[in-house]
Amino acid sequence: MSEIVVTGMGAITSIGLTIAENLRSLQQENSGIKKAKHFKSQYAESLVFGEIDQSDEELLTELGLEKGKGYTRTTLIAVKAFREAVAHAGLSPEEIASGRTAFISSSTVGGMCYTDDLYSDANLQGTPSEYVKNYEGSDHALQIVRLYNMKGITDVINTACSSSANAIALGARLLETGKADRVIAGGSDCLAKFTVNGFNSLRILSEEPCKPFDTNREGLSLGEAAAYVVLERKEDVTDPGKIQAGFAGFGICNDAFHPSATSDDARGPRMAMELALKRAALTPSEIDYINAHGTGTPNNDLTESVAFSKVFETVPPFSSTKSYVGHTLAAAGVIEAIYSILAIRNQEIYPSLRVQEPIADFPFKPVLHYTPGTAIKHVLSNSFGFGGNCTSLIFSACI
């Protein structure tokens, strides 16, 4: 790949409303998975979630957006993360609106957080909901395009849990091929009854906060988040101090095995990692840390471990930061990309929380405690989605 770098980051999760707050929680091993305060569901009392500690009303007020304009929660958290990312990169309103600035976002929930309103409309109960026209997964991106008068390439990806990782990969390709001078890439997903009920029907939700790579793991914890990164060609960056990390490569494949599970031989995860290493021109031994997909489900953690054993002669330190924020669906890839960059910049590893008995089938185990003072140059970040969508990203320190 031509030299592509990250020059800005923005994130809002259950462990922080900004990048700085997220970093502090990661370092202090503070999990955001707990009983929901804002999300209303029949499962709110029996399950735990990685819920953002801001109501829709609080977000509207902070962002200065007018109520009644169809801003769903997915859009609100997306706008907040987008604002932080472009400010961090120092982009002017003119640069954001430029036809040479691309915007690649992602979402699986979209406006489905307000499905109840649509049922009321369908049954002619009350007045029509303001959110009827904002139900689609692309609406959050279109709202941002309107707010910032953006004129460049815009796209929205839904490849399940690998969505925002693929948004970053597509952004890199746009830069490589000269179709854009900068790309804002990421995604947004909020908690919704539709997804909670769907995952519950698969019987893979844990009643306790998830514990990825633990022998007695019971399932995943759903979370909500939004995050964006700004990508640019290194040669175009006039201020080297803006560079957060290099984007070294990506691997994308589909194992075509099962709608919601990876294959026992881990061919999809393995191929994604091998393709990313090949594109980055790195050997497996050069990876210093893996931010694993690590959902906490029996199938995922086992098959990802199988993939590690096949790709790496000696498996490097790895952990799942989903143990902090839960599984944030389309936003997971970009959130974990940002956590990977923070690991590089601060030379530290954030652990898999709550692991008491690591999976015994392998001679390796995840990092169990916050580990500062670790030499990290290259990080592999995995995102494996439903439908067999497997994506691996590699970020590197810029020397």
Side-chain angles (χ1 to χ4, degrees):
M1 293 181 66
S2 36
E3 286 195 90
I4 294 170
V5 295
V6 177
T7 58
M9 304 185 293
I12 175 171
T13 72
S14 60
I15 63 170
L17 308 180
T18 63
I19 292 289
E21 289 182 11
N22 273 269
L23 176 59
R24 186 160 55 249
S25 293
L26 290 168
Q27 293 171 333
Q28 295 175 357
E29 299 187 22
N30 292 333
S31 171
I33 302 173
K34 52 186 180 295
K35 294 292 185 183
K37 183 167 64 175
H38 306 293
F39 175 59
K40 306 302 180 185
S41 164
Q42 70 181 70
Y43 298 111
E45 291 301 317
S46 60
L47 297 173
V48 289
F49 304 95
E51 183 185 54
I52 292 169
D53 192 19
Q54 273 190 308
S55 67
D56 293 5
E57 291 71 22
E58 289 170 331
L59 285 161
L60 276 166
T61 300
E62 179 186 335
L63 297 169
L65 298 176
E66 185 180 346
K67 189 173 182 179
K69 295 296 184 180
Y71 296 116
T72 66
R73 185 169 180 84
T74 299
T75 298
L76 293 173
I77 59 177
V79 172
K80 185 171 173 64
F82 184 97
R83 284 190 182 183
E84 184 181 20
V86 296
H88 189 207
L91 299 184
S92 67
E94 292 74 24
E95 287 174 315
I96 298 170
S98 166
R100 298 293 297 169
T101 298
F103 179 37
I104 311 298
S105 194
S106 60
S107 186
T108 63
V109 172
M112 288 192 294
C113 46
Y114 299 118
T115 299
D116 286 0
D117 293 295
L118 297 191
Y119 277 112
S120 295
D121 289 343
N123 290 290
L124 302 178
Q125 297 175 5
T127 57
S129 168
E130 65 185 86
Y131 298 107
V132 172
K133 64 182 182 298
N134 306 107
Y135 195 71
E136 294 184 359
S138 61
D139 183 70
H140 74 284
L142 296 175
Q143 294 275 25
I144 290 174
V145 166
R146 286 190 284 267
L147 286 170
Y148 285 86
N149 194 30
M150 300 182 78
K151 304 178 183 68
I153 295 170
T154 300
D155 200 0
V156 177
I157 293 174
N158 182 354
T159 52
C161 315
S162 64
S163 299
S164 57
N166 286 335
I168 293 172
L170 175 57
R173 292 292 291 141
L174 292 175
L175 291 170
E176 278 189 312
T177 55
K179 296 184 184 299
D181 291 335
R182 66 194 65 82
V183 179
I184 305 161
S188 177
D189 261 339
C190 70
L191 290 169
K193 291 180 181 179
F194 189 95
T195 46
V196 171
N197 293 351
F199 276 92
N200 191 57
S201 71
L202 295 173
R203 299 185 178 182
I204 55 174
L205 290 181
S206 175
E207 293 185 3
E208 301 296 326
C210 64
K211 43 186 178 183
F213 299 105
D214 189 282
T215 296
N216 300 308
R217 62 197 182 280
E218 298 176 353
L220 59 83
S221 300
L222 281 175
E224 59 182 359
Y228 291 97
V229 294
V230 178
L231 303 173
E232 300 184 66
R233 287 182 291 268
K234 187 176 181 181
E235 63 196 57
D236 297 335
V237 179
T238 56
D239 177 10
K242 288 174 51 177
I243 297 175
Q244 306 301 307
F247 180 54
F250 63 88
I252 301 174
C253 67
N254 190 298
D255 64 12
F257 171 73
H258 187 274
S260 61
T262 47
S263 60
D264 293 339
D265 63 0
R267 61 179 177 267
R270 176 183 181 178
M271 185 181 294
M273 289 188 279
E274 289 175 341
L275 289 171
L277 287 164
K278 182 178 180 180
R279 184 177 280 270
L282 294 172
T283 63
S285 63
E286 291 179 282
I287 296 297
D288 301 304
Y289 164 59
I290 304 171
N291 189 302
H293 183 55
T295 60
T297 62
N299 169 262
N300 178 92
D301 294 0
L302 180 62
T303 55
E304 190 168 12
S305 296
V306 169
F308 290 162
S309 67
K310 292 185 175 184
V311 174
F312 299 93
E313 184 174 339
T314 300
V315 176
F318 70 95
S319 66
S320 171
T321 47
K322 286 185 177 69
S323 60
Y324 283 85
V325 298
H327 193 345
T328 58
L329 304 182
V334 65
I335 288 291
E336 290 155 29
I338 288 172
Y339 291 171
S340 298
I341 293 169
L342 292 175
I344 293 171
R345 292 191 61 78
N346 295 285
Q347 298 289 279
E348 58 193 14
I349 295 176
Y350 317 114
S352 282
L353 302 177
R354 294 176 292 278
V355 176
Q356 297 179 328
E357 185 182 343
I359 299 175
D361 302 345
F362 304 93
F364 49 81
K365 63 182 181 181
V367 175
L368 303 181
H369 301 287
Y370 167 61
T371 309
T374 304
I376 301 175
K377 185 176 180 181
H378 303 291
V379 175
L380 176 72
S381 181
N382 287 334
S383 297
F384 307 139
F386 280 3
N389 294 293
C390 298
T391 301
S392 294
L393 308 177
I394 296 178
F395 295 91
S396 301
C398 284
I399 307 300

